[in-house]
Amino acid sequence: ELARIKQVERDLKQRYIESNYPIPPKSLVKVGEKILYLDRYVIINGDIRPTLYCVTPTLKPDPRYNKQEVKNWREMQPYTPSK
C-alpha cells in the first residue's frame, strides 16, 4: 500500500510540473543569451525549480561544471540548434 501511495505522489508531482512548464527535461534551453541543459525539475516548497547545467561546444551537458543558478530561468525557451 505504501508503494502505491508513493507512486501516486510521484505521478501527481510529474503532472504538476508538466502542467506548469511545457519544456520537457533532458533538453536544451536558452535563458537570455546562455544555452543550458535542462536535466530535471525539482519541487521545493511548492515552487518548481529547474536543474540546469552548462553545455560543451557540441551541445552536450558538461560534467566539469556544477549546477547553474540562473535568476531569470522562468524566461527559458526551448533551444534547437540551427544547421
Side-chain angles (χ1 to χ4, degrees):
E1 184 66 18
L2 182 60
R4 187 188 67 77
I5 291 171
K6 290 206 178 275
Q7 182 61 43
V8 168
E9 178 187 21
R10 283 191 295 272
D11 293 343
L12 286 172
K13 281 183 178 181
Q14 187 61 34
R15 209 172 315 151
Y16 177 63
I17 290 169
E18 289 171 357
S19 67
N20 287 292
Y21 289 95
I23 301 173
K26 309 289 185 205
S27 61
L28 293 173
V29 295
K30 189 168 185 177
V31 182
E33 295 299 315
K34 287 184 170 182
I35 299 169
L36 300 168
Y37 178 76
L38 173 62
D39 184 49
R40 63 187 171 130
Y41 291 100
V42 179
I43 299 175
I44 301 174
N45 294 330
D47 187 29
I48 302 171
R49 303 236 177 120
T51 302
L52 300 165
Y53 291 97
C54 285
V55 293
T56 62
T58 59
L59 300 177
K60 301 289 181 203
D62 196 341
R64 296 175 293 171
Y65 294 102
N66 292 333
K67 284 192 308 189
Q68 297 296 298
E69 294 295 327
V70 181
K71 291 184 182 192
N72 58 343
W73 62 266
R74 286 183 172 86
E75 301 169 5
M76 67 182 171
Q77 299 292 321
Y79 177 77
T80 52
S82 57
K83 295 187 180 194

